[in-house]
Amino acid sequence: MQRREFSIATASVATAASLGALSTPALAQAPAAPRMGTDFLVLDKPAPVEAPSGKIEVVEFFWYSCPHCNRFEPALEEWIKKAPKDVVVRRVPVSFRPDFEPQQRLYYVLEAMNKVDELHKKVFLAIHGEKQLLNTAELIAAWAEKQGLNKVKFLEMYNSFGIATKARKATQLQDAYKVDGVPALGVAGRFYTSGELAKNMDRALQVTDYLVIQARKG
């Protein structure tokens, strides 16, 4: 990725230098629309959605221990604030390996306890800012207790069938979208984009705006 980004940046500088000798008005063009297969993918088989009829679901696939997800969170929050009223955003924690599952369960316990708004960002801060290891049930429960949550109740919910089911469905959705890295975005069970495809996550959000319009067209 770093080599590709360096090549793109070098090519952009060279192009800008060569264009500087030409007439700017003659070269002014509207930004090209995102391209299928380059900026986003269309799923072979539609993925399940939870958004009600008439709403467009946007899924953010993430992992708490991912530094890119941590950096993306503020931009995503701003995007959510400005999203159209027919857009529903759903966060989905991924599990590429079995050791990802504790953090999957952490997210769904916070969701079940209506604590996502309060504690979601604090999980990122604990891991990336305070360098805490939140990768086992015991470590996670100890952290939750420090946030004012009842540890016994937290662990009971963490180990419940309902949370295990949500974690399993999250992994199934990740597989349906063929997620190969995070953060990544799915739209309407039909489209997929990521920083890898769009070249960076800021542009991935722009691509998502475009895909929302496509989904709205049906």
Side-chain angles (χ1 to χ4, degrees):
M1 265 184 82
Q2 290 178 345
R3 183 178 296 177
R4 180 188 299 175
E5 289 169 358
F6 177 78
S7 298
I8 292 171
T10 303
S12 298
V13 171
T15 300
S18 63
L19 292 181
L22 302 176
S23 172
T24 302
L27 292 168
Q29 295 180 355
R35 293 179 295 172
M36 181 177 68
T38 300
D39 300 308
F40 67 92
L41 303 175
V42 178
L43 272 61
D44 297 331
K45 179 181 178 182
V49 298
E50 292 186 357
S53 177
K55 300 290 185 178
I56 299 168
E57 181 176 270
V58 173
V59 179
E60 184 224 4
F61 294 98
F62 76 97
W63 177 39
Y64 276 126
S65 288
C66 166
H68 304 293
C69 298
N70 178 49
R71 288 194 292 270
F72 178 54
E73 185 64 23
L76 177 64
E77 286 195 343
E78 285 302 310
W79 186 88
I80 291 173
K81 291 176 183 177
K82 300 173 183 177
K85 292 182 179 180
D86 62 345
V87 170
V88 176
V89 178
R90 177 158 65 112
R91 288 182 169 92
V92 173
V94 299
S95 181
F96 295 138
R97 306 188 305 262
D99 58 320
F100 282 40
E101 187 177 341
Q103 290 183 4
Q104 271 188 319
R105 293 192 180 219
L106 165 58
Y107 176 78
Y108 286 119
V109 174
L110 295 182
E111 185 180 70
M113 299 179 78
N114 295 315
K115 292 292 184 178
V116 171
D117 289 346
E118 178 184 345
L119 297 179
H120 182 65
K121 287 189 290 186
K122 289 186 177 182
V123 179
F124 280 117
L125 177 62
I127 294 171
H128 301 281
E130 300 167 356
K131 307 303 180 184
Q132 295 188 46
L133 281 177
L134 300 183
N135 55 5
T136 68
E138 189 58 37
L139 288 173
I140 288 170
W143 175 86
E145 186 175 36
K146 291 178 181 177
Q147 310 312 308
L149 303 182
N150 182 286
K151 185 176 180 180
V152 173
K153 183 178 180 181
F154 182 93
L155 280 172
E156 180 180 327
M157 194 170 291
Y158 178 97
N159 291 311
S160 69
F161 176 79
I163 296 301
T165 299
K166 286 193 172 187
R168 185 177 69 253
K169 287 185 175 180
T171 303
Q172 290 172 347
L173 187 66
Q174 154 200 317
D175 293 342
Y177 271 102
K178 300 179 182 179
V179 177
D180 57 1
V182 287
L185 298 160
V187 179
R190 296 164 51 195
F191 307 110
Y192 173 82
T193 189
S194 66
E196 182 72 16
L197 287 165
K199 304 302 182 286
N200 59 71
M201 287 309 298
D202 285 339
R203 188 161 184 275
L205 288 174
Q206 296 173 9
V207 172
T208 300
D209 287 332
Y210 171 82
L211 295 175
V212 165
I213 293 171
Q214 303 310 304
R216 195 177 289 128
K217 291 178 180 178

